[in-house]
Amino acid sequence: MTGSCFWTSGLLFLAVFVKVAVLTNDGDAVFIREFTLIRRDHLPEEPLHDGSQKPEDPSSRTARSEEDRDTLWDAWGSWSECSRTCGGGASYSLRRCLSSKTCEGQNIKYRTCSNVDCPPDAGDFRAQQCSAHADVRYQGQYHEWLPVYNDLDNPCTLKCKAKDSGLLMELAPKVLDGTRCYTESLDMCISGVCQIVGCDHELGSTAKEDNCGVCNGDGSSCRLVRGHYKAQHATGKTEDTVVVVPYMSRHVRLVLKGPDHLYVESKTLEAVKDELVLDNSGQYLLENTTLDFQKLSDKEVLRITGPLGADFTVKVLFASGADSVVQYIYYQPIIHRWRETDFFPCSVTCGGGYQLTSAECFDLRSGRVVVDQYCHYYPENVKPKPKLQECNMEPCLASDGYKQIMPYDLYHPLPRWESSPWTACSTSCGGGIQSRSVSCVEEDMQGTITTTEEWKCLYSPKTAILQPCNTFDCPTWLAQEWSPCTVTCGQGLRYRVVLCIDHRGLHAGGCNPTTKPHIKEECLVTVPCYKSIDTLPVEAKPVWHKQAIELEEEISVSEEPTFIPGPWQPCSRTCGAGTQRRTVKCQVLLSFSQTVADLPDDECEGVKPATSQPCYRTPCSGVSGKEDEKERQEEEEEEEEETPGREELHDWEYEGFTECSQSCGGGVQEAVVICLNKQTREAADQSLCVSSRRPPQLLQDCKTQPCPPRWETGEWSSCSATCGVGLMTRTVACTHRPSRDSNHTEAVRDKDCQNPKPSPVQACNRFDCPPMWDTRDWGQCSQSCGGGFQKRQVLCKQRFADGSILELPDTFCPSKSPINQQPCAKKECPPQWVTTSWSQCSVTCGNGVQRLQAVCRKQKEDGAHWTVDPGNCSTMARPTKIRPCSLRPCEISVKPVPSILAQKKVYIQWKKAKKLHLVVGGYGYLLPWTTMVLRCPTRHFRRGHIQWLKEGKPLVSFPHLTVTSQGYMKIQQVRASDAGIYTCVAGQAHEHFVLQIIGSKKKLSLPEAWLLAGKQKVGRLDVSSTGDRFQELPIPLNQYDNLVERLLELKGNLPDEKDVEKLHSSEKNRSTKVDERVNAELSSHIVLIADTQRLDEIMNNLSEGLGGTWRERLITQLLSELTMTEVETNESTLHPPETAESSTQQPLLNKPNVKTQVPKPRSPVIIQRPRKVGVVPSSDMVVYVGVPVLLQKPIASLELRCETLGNPDPSLTWTRNGKDLQYNNRVGLLPTGSLKIQSPTKVDEGLYTCTARNRLGSSSLSSWLQITGSKGRNCVQGNSMGATGRICSERSNSSQSAELCHGPACPLRWRVDPWSPCSASCGGGSQTRSVRCMKGPEGRSREVESQHCLSTGRRPSFTRTCNLHPCARWTTTHWGLCHGQCVGPSLATQHRHVFCLDANATKVNYRMCSGLQRPSSMKNCSTETCALYWRVGQWTQCTATCGRHGFQSRQVTCAHRRSGKATREHQCVWRPRPPSWQRCNILSCGRGECRDSTRYCEKVRQLELCPLPQFKNRCCHSCSNT
């Protein structure tokens, strides 16, 4: 068949078709048409013109382009048929010149085509062209031609080489179009010329593949992996794995230097395995992948261009010599990539909405979408952020036309994830799983929440739906010591108590009853019972006999070496005390053969069970015992009589030797001694010969020839992995003992020993690992000093039995995740200059300058910065920066008078601290060894000119006392000698500061210089004006000493941080956890700061002579105010800001150091005192609640004080023995809330409990009152107030007063009644009570006008607010879907949310509704999803036909009744799970017949285990044929 000829410009193109035969699988030949374009001058003769030629169809031409119309060319013709059907060919198009003149340009153009890979059996295109000449004679004979590749000079000529003779010839000047120029290039030959082809298969293109094989790629789809491996010959292995190169990897290069050899194993995605041994240099083909291997004298080089058609495992075979080193490099494809999705549908159909994109993880191998964890494995993979855009912005038709289209995030809020509460844990202990439902919801402008499609929430990660729970250990049985035996002689019983102990160490339920240790066992007292059978001891029945439930279990063989005891043999005696024995073997169950092997005793852990024990059956009667003795004597006498006759007839003789003890290397054999009948010369029973005449033992050497070399194996090593799949190794060496006398062996060559060689390695623990955490290396620290953080990647992975590893979500790992962040770089940073702010202008008017201030700061370990001495930064240059400043024009005015901004404060150090910053103008009570910085803030005065005085004299610097350039006075670690009056002088202004040291007995006095200053006056400030100015000290001395001392005493009664734990653990008279928290807060203050005005008010009230109760109440109230006020801590009192002392700052009275705020609400707390206070012997007793009270003598009155703290103020109630206390004329409440009992007697004994309540909670504390020795007397001898004689309590019906008393000298007093009920239950109400002024002795008192009692103290309040908490109620959402955990047949759980709402339907804290019954948030519901049952399969064949080791198993799954589909087993836990295995064929194996008792005997025979007795017994039939 010939093609058409085109005559243009003297060029003739002929399409010559060549038939190339390719053999297919069935042996038939298939001819593929190929052609080439040849110029006319290359043709050997003119073409033939036959009838097959047809003129070109004009319709096949395309329309002329604009470019062609401007030239003389006709339009281009249609494209020709492709030169190849696969592998990349060429196609051409022609055009003709419409002029008789020469047209400029080419009349032919080309393009590539058929750019698809050829099938593997198609063969090489250049080789097909060479083989086409096999039927043409050359030099008179036929040749089989092979192609010659990569001819650099003429790559497009067809050069072939004869296979038989090696003859090299050029068979054609041009190869067919589409033939590759070079084997490793896409460039192709067209019309005999090599044309450049890019990776995009375009002619003339320069596009190239990146290292990942992506055309014009940037290399981001793969990662470079490089590494090295060093062989370890000393391990005894014969081979080792170098690296596993994954599927589709490229540009693999390995170089081995050393005596070892490389070989390759492959594993496809379908788990098809193959291997390739690399013997000689050359090309190899494995899984459609070409491997170039080069073997040199000192190294081996393996190159694989790729891509790999499977996972390649490169291994090394060890040879003798030095250890080899392998270096490798390859590009691994990133097979899991993020792929961005299209925009999801718009959230609304009109009126303005939004739509989002997402990203999904795509598996390039399988072409499927997988879970996101696969893409997180590659650090190069950055998940694209979701894109969000507006959509459907046109107004809705129902709109009034005036609606403004607002942005989607305001008008249409973004949806969010909302989760339901967690379900109950799947297990009560040992680690379970709990789940919850997570749905995507959106909220409209009216606040209505509805469920919507999940894609709308994909812009944020979905919250977890599974989490581990109850990870603590399950309860276990704990057996106590055995009790004594229940009998005093013979055999009895003993018992013990068995407890179920949980993870907290408490006795609780929940243990498996089938594993409970037995609580009763037999015991034997080795004292014989010499009594008749009728009077044998009867078993005692102790109180714990009811626990005696025998649950003995037989110890079975396991895969761990265990001592296995055999059955006890009969007692050695039929009566009396004897002994019985048993065998105890160390045995192990071989998992692969399910057989038991005996081991040495030291292989088993623990104590070996006893092999003997005493036994006692029945007592021996005296008669029978004597008869037995008589029978034995008679038997011995008969033996002695018969002995002479036997000696004459029978005698001992030697007869041959036993077999040699060794087969080679020298053994011994023993002479055989027999008892011989002298008459018949036949062997007789040995008992017929006299044992005392037995001849001595005779030994002789045998088999003395040396043994041939033999294999010697070592012990198996422990498994390299506990699960997944591990390896056990052992040493296997061919050894030889040189002589029989030597005790050592020599290693010889392996070939000297007989094959087969024992395997040095075997697999172990081949089962899937549970999911576990895999931690990566720690990353770089975020800081180089001063404390930073470093992170690491923590992944949940599971290793399978085939060695593969799968990443799982974090919820699959049962234990708590290891930390992924930790502190680092804890060393301190060196101090640095830090610029703060611009200083004040150097002038107050006109033009001046400002300086940028800099301080030397150091960073602590916790990240906080603190200012240090500038000298610490002396090694660094201090930053200097100056800028001009201009203020108002200067006016001639009076110079402002300097002033000191003092603060009238009293500082009381409450807790140890390194440094405190204080301000002049007040008092300071500091603990010793505290560093104090005293500031003197001024106005209109430079800080550098401030002067300091002590006791009116200029301050003398000491090593620990300095004045800084900023005007501060600093005392390092104050001591008692530093106490005194310090004065700051700024011009004509001065302020004092009184410093007292806590614990010092020294009282301050007025300095003598000030006392004399009134009598003499001298010149200037530092000398004379001192007395002038300070002759009257404006700040009193020692004024607050007593008050501060009392506050510090109260501090001793408050628990500190260490005591809070003790309070928590105390079971007796303890408060709630809220009390501990508040007490801890009281002790957490460093400095208490009080206004002098408030303290003066307290001092005035104390000076009016109020009673002891009111005095304590005032001081306690003051302490409460000070501790409930926010006090400056590290940022103010400890380290104040530098700007606090600006010479032109505002008065500090407007910005005090104490940030007074509204006190925080807090639950009530009762202050517990560990001791009695205010005790007057035999008269009045005051005890703080919380301390037990024991009265051994009669007293006049007992006061139980109950001091509380809390906001709002708590209300107090008292109970006795758990019931409300009934008040009368002897038992009543004081205004402080304390309880007073007049003349307590026996009827007043009991547990008194004080309860403090407010809306945030309650607290209780109790005291036990016990009275001994009074015998009902209630009259005592008074010894106070000057009273004499007996004072007896008198009963009256009047209400209790504030101060109960007796006698005519009883003072005026306030009497209060209990508070009335609150007027409102919530939202704020009020309570009232009656307050009256009473006069006269108790029982005869009368009410007088209120002004008479004002001298006794302030009148108690008669009204107060109550129930200030807002009115609230519980509200619920609709019930959710019935898709919780299954709890019964067709029963699941459904949930709903429960909120606490106030009167305005606003969600508030749930504590506001704590007094109301909370609706249930979960209930059972009916669903077909939980129509589940345990589905059991058929039992498997029993593993043994007899014996005690057979078992069989079956499959147990949780399945749905209708669909039959299996589901997770925890859904069926509400019903007991049927057993999945059981013992079987528990029959005695008869010893008479030889048969197999296990179905693994074939494996036993193959593994050559029959010589071992334990296998030979169970596989008797199979082993008899070996």
Side-chain angles (χ1 to χ4, degrees), residues 740-777:
R740 58 170 293 190
D741 297 330
S742 65
N743 292 326
H744 69 280
T745 58
E746 296 178 354
V748 296
R749 297 176 301 177
D750 286 358
K751 65 180 182 179
D752 294 336
C753 284
Q754 199 171 12
N755 284 329
K757 179 180 179 180
S759 174
V761 62
Q762 77 174 14
C764 54
N765 292 342
R766 184 174 291 178
F767 53 86
D768 295 346
C769 292
M772 59 185 63
W773 295 106
D774 180 38
T775 56
R776 302 293 178 84
D777 294 334

Side-chain angles (χ1 to χ4, degrees), residues 236-265:
K237 300 179 181 179
T238 59
E239 64 181 32
D240 201 3
T241 299
V242 177
V243 65
V244 178
V245 186
Y247 169 75
M248 293 300 291
S249 297
R250 294 172 179 265
H251 307 294
V252 184
R253 184 174 185 268
L254 293 96
V255 179
L256 180 145
K257 296 181 179 180
D260 301 333
H261 305 291
L262 293 173
Y263 79 100
V264 182
E265 293 181 352

